[in-house]
């Protein structure tokens, strides 16, 4: 089984989605189930409703999964296994106060060394522990030997006991810390491969150490994906970058199929540039992903989105634009020379159907054309329409074409009116209302 394990602490960002997509693809290729595990044990940071939003986004991207579990639901297992570790002297109660630990951190900082727990409570006797009437955390003892693992992308890693340290596995309130909950849950659900961001590399030896201490010897394969950089700044994408939010991208009118296409394409060797998720499953190889950081370029995403918009069924596109007429879908595609998202196309359609005021400098001509069209019979052909307006108003040249374009499109430029008219002729009464 593979797992995607988001935290309900904020909007899903493109790095999360990329991890979800790769887990989904690999679950299909390996013919294994995909588990969605909501990591909700950090109660103070959880945002109500974000779990449902995450699942809605996964559904929007057609990422199907076997089941959804909440990490908090495994609390009894986290606590029971911590007690097992304590009884086996592989973990211990730590009574060090936050103030004391902060003092140790400051001392390490002054000496230019990384902070590590000094092991004071690890040597307390059982009798001493019983006599202490104070809240405590539970720490796992640091390993006796180096922790080694192989990343399918990045190769071999080797961490010393000093690197791993004696870290906290249960907080004062006896809820699990991130690494402990992850390690136990991956064991409970028999996870075979973990695909996540490279910012988790330093967590991996700690999680392996926890499972080793619990006697779990199944090898889990690891893939740590390179981070995504903002192409414009060269820095890691952050929550301050609008385009890092999947929700924002959808609101801007980017298609899920295009976003998925781009995220799978990023830093990857692919047989083609434009593809669907179903097609990617056929040829995807995790080893083809670059070990270098990928750069997210919003203009490249726009290009890919435009391609997918052009490939959409006309009726489907019209429905996404708020209509149910394939002629509107065809009209929408006319604007792809200058628009690259649903939102941008919708803005141009809105101008067509919004009540017009007057074309500046051609106020009288605009009024004549409006009145003419309100009383006009249905006219099939644009050339016939021009002829009819000219006969009724005597307008010619720019006195005809400039205000006519404004009346029909709400704009002074854009695709040829002869190209637009076939798709709006049935709506002429609504357009000139």
């Amino acid at each position: 089984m593979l797992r995607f394990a988001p935290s309900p602490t904020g909007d899903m960002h493109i790095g999360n989605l990329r991890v979800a997509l790769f887990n989904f693809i690999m679950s299909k290729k390996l013919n294994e189930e995909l588990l969605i595990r909501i990591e909700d044990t950090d109660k103070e940071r959880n945002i109500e409703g974000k779990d449902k939003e995450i699942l809605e986004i996964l559904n929007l991207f057609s990422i199907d999964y076997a089941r959804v579990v909440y990490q908090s639901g495994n609390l009894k297992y986290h606590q029971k296994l911590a007690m097992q570790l304590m009884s086996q002297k592989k973990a211990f109660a730590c009574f060090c106060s936050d103030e004391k630990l902060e003092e140790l951190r400051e001392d390490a900082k002054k000496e230019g060394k990384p902070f590590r727990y000094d092991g004071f409570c690890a040597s307390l006797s059982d009798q001493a522990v019983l006599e202490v009437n104070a809240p405590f955390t539970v720490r796992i003892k640091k390993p006796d030997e180096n922790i080694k693992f192989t990343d399918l992308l990045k190769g071999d890693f080797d961490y010393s006991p000093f690197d791993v340290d004696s870290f906290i596995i249960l907080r004062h309130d006896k809820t699990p810390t991130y690494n402990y909950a992850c390690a136990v849950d991956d064991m409970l659900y028999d996870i075979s491969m973990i695909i996540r961001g490279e910012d988790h590399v330093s967590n991996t030896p700690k999680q392996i150490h926890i499972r080793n201490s619990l006697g779990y010897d199944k090898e889990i394969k690891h893939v740590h994906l390179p981070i995504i950089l903002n192409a414009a700044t060269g820095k890691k994408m952050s929550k301050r970058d609008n385009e890092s939010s999947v929700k924002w991208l959808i609101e801007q009118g980017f298609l899920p199929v295009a976003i998925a296409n781009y995220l799978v394409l990023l830093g990857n060797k692919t047989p083609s540039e434009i593809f669907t998720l179903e097609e990617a499953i056929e040829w995807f190889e995790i080893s083809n992903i670059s070990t270098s950081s990928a750069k997210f370029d919003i203009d490249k995403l726009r290009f890919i989105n435009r391609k997918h918009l052009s490939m959409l069924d006309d009726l489907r596109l019209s429905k996404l634009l708020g209509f149910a007429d394939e002629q509107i879908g065809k009209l929408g595609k006319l604007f792809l020379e200058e628009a690259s998202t649903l939102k941008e196309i919708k803005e141009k359609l809105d101008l067509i159907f919004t009540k017009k005021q007057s074309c500046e400098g051609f106020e009288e001509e605009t009024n004549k054309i409006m009145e003419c069209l309100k009383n006009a019979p249905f006219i099939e052909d644009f050339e016939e329409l021009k002829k009819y307006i000219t006969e009724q108003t005597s307008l010619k040249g720019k006195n005809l074409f400039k205000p006519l374009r404004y009346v029909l499109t709400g704009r002074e430029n854009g695709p040829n009116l002869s190209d637009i008219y076939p798709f709006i002729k049935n709506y002429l009464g609504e357009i000139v209302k």
Side-chain angles (χ1 to χ4, degrees):
M1 180 176 283
L2 281 79
R3 51 81 157 176
F4 172 57
S7 299
T9 56
D11 287 355
M12 183 186 284
H13 57 75
I14 56 173
N16 296 141
L17 180 58
R18 188 175 185 230
V19 167
L21 289 167
F22 285 0
N23 272 289
F24 169 69
I25 292 171
M26 288 305 298
S27 71
K28 295 298 183 184
K29 291 191 73 70
L30 298 171
N31 197 27
E32 294 194 35
E33 292 184 335
L34 176 63
L35 172 78
I36 306 301
R37 188 175 73 217
I38 306 295
E39 300 194 332
D40 62 339
T41 57
D42 193 344
K43 297 176 184 177
E44 292 184 0
R45 296 181 61 224
N46 291 341
I47 300 174
E48 186 176 354
K50 283 298 174 184
D51 57 333
K52 293 181 176 60
E53 188 177 287
I54 289 168
L55 296 178
E56 287 170 359
I57 289 175
L58 295 180
N59 291 333
L60 192 62
F61 281 79
S62 300
I63 296 174
D64 59 323
Y65 42 85
R67 58 190 292 209
V68 178
V69 298
Y70 286 76
Q71 199 165 56
S72 58
N74 290 331
L75 178 61
K76 63 180 179 180
Y77 295 108
H78 302 146
Q79 294 174 337
K80 181 180 180 180
L81 292 174
M83 290 173 62
Q84 175 184 315
L85 290 172
M86 292 180 76
S87 68
Q88 296 172 345
K89 303 299 182 183
K90 295 178 180 179
F92 58 93
C94 177
F95 299 94
C96 296
S97 65
D98 291 341
E99 291 75 18
K100 175 61 177 176
L101 294 174
E102 187 57 36
E103 183 181 319
L104 292 174
R105 285 192 185 88
E106 287 300 318
D107 289 344
K109 188 176 179 180
K110 290 176 183 176
E111 295 176 12
K113 299 178 180 178
F115 166 72
R116 293 293 183 270
Y117 180 65
D118 63 2
F120 177 80
C121 293
S123 58
L124 293 178
S125 66
D126 292 344
Q127 183 66 30
V129 169
L130 289 172
E131 290 175 354
V132 177
N133 185 23
F136 63 92
T137 59
V138 177
R139 288 180 181 270
I140 191 168
K141 288 185 176 179
K142 64 184 177 182
D144 296 324
E145 300 176 347
N146 286 17
I147 301 292
K148 301 178 181 180
F149 67 92
T150 299
D151 182 281
L152 296 182
L153 271 184
K154 298 176 177 295
D156 296 332
F157 285 84
D158 189 345
Y159 287 84
S160 70
F162 176 82
D163 295 324
V164 178
D165 198 18
S166 295
F167 56 92
I168 295 172
I169 59 174
L170 289 185
R171 305 181 183 95
H172 285 106
D173 63 359
K174 304 307 174 281
T175 57
T177 55
Y178 171 77
N179 278 313
Y180 180 61
C182 279
V184 170
D185 289 352
D186 287 337
M187 181 177 73
L188 291 176
Y189 295 110
D190 195 28
I191 301 301
S192 60
M193 176 182 283
I194 297 173
I195 303 174
R196 56 188 175 187
E198 68 179 6
D199 49 332
H200 287 283
V201 167
S202 61
N203 292 326
T204 298
K206 295 182 178 182
Q207 293 172 19
I208 291 173
H209 175 47
I210 290 165
R211 288 191 291 271
N212 287 346
S213 299
L214 289 167
Y216 188 77
D217 57 7
K218 175 180 175 176
E219 182 181 359
I220 299 177
K221 295 178 180 178
H222 290 87
V223 178
H224 294 92
L225 300 173
I227 61 172
I228 299 177
L229 303 177
N230 185 321
T233 64
K235 297 180 180 178
K236 181 180 178 180
M237 296 286 283
S238 70
K239 292 180 179 179
R240 291 187 295 275
D241 298 316
N242 280 333
E243 56 263 36
S244 73
S245 167
V246 178
K247 185 178 177 182
W248 182 85
L249 290 173
I250 296 297
E251 289 171 348
Q252 292 301 303
F254 289 96
L255 298 173
V257 66
I259 299 171
N261 182 161
Y262 184 50
L263 291 180
V264 173
L265 181 69
L266 266 184
N268 197 1
K269 295 177 184 175
T270 63
S272 60
E273 189 172 51
I274 306 300
F275 50 82
T276 64
L277 205 50
E278 291 76 14
E279 291 168 341
I281 291 170
E282 296 298 318
W283 46 253
F284 184 86
E285 293 291 342
I286 203 80
S287 59
N288 283 338
I289 299 170
S290 171
T291 57
S292 301
S293 299
K295 292 184 178 180
F296 184 90
D297 185 345
I298 192 72
D299 290 331
K300 182 67 173 181
L301 176 57
R302 287 182 180 280
F303 167 79
I304 291 174
N305 198 62
R306 189 182 293 116
K307 289 289 187 181
H308 280 281
L309 283 169
S310 69
M311 293 159 56
L312 271 182
D313 174 77
D314 293 332
L315 183 57
R316 172 63 179 156
L317 177 56
S318 78
K319 289 180 178 179
L320 292 174
L321 293 167
F323 294 82
D325 180 355
E326 65 177 18
Q327 297 303 309
I328 296 298
K330 295 178 187 296
L331 175 61
K333 290 180 181 180
L334 278 184
F335 294 115
L336 288 178
E337 288 293 323
E338 49 188 315
S340 56
T341 68
L342 286 171
K343 183 179 179 181
E344 290 169 354
I345 296 174
K346 186 72 165 60
E347 287 170 351
K348 299 184 186 307
L349 292 181
D350 287 345
L351 288 174
I352 291 174
F353 290 97
T354 299
K355 184 174 176 60
K356 314 298 189 303
Q357 299 304 317
S358 189
C359 181
E360 187 176 352
F362 296 86
E363 291 80 2
E364 184 179 343
E365 291 85 351
T366 301
N367 291 334
K368 283 185 178 181
I369 292 173
M370 291 283 282
E371 287 303 314
C372 175
L373 291 177
K374 285 178 182 179
N375 299 309
F378 177 77
I379 299 175
E380 181 76 30
D381 181 72
F382 181 66
E383 290 301 320
E384 289 298 317
L385 179 73
K386 287 193 300 179
K387 182 179 178 182
Y388 176 81
I389 297 173
T390 299
E391 290 174 350
Q392 297 297 314
T393 65
S394 300
L395 295 174
K396 296 179 181 179
K398 69 176 183 180
N399 289 331
L400 168 63
F401 290 109
K402 193 161 185 177
L404 179 58
R405 173 176 287 280
Y406 173 75
V407 168
L408 294 182
T409 69
R411 305 167 62 205
E412 295 185 3
N413 48 46
N416 293 329
L417 288 180
S418 57
D419 293 329
I420 291 176
Y421 183 71
F423 307 129
I424 65 171
K425 59 189 178 186
N426 292 328
Y427 297 90
L428 206 55
E430 185 178 344
I431 292 170
V432 298
K433 63 181 180 292

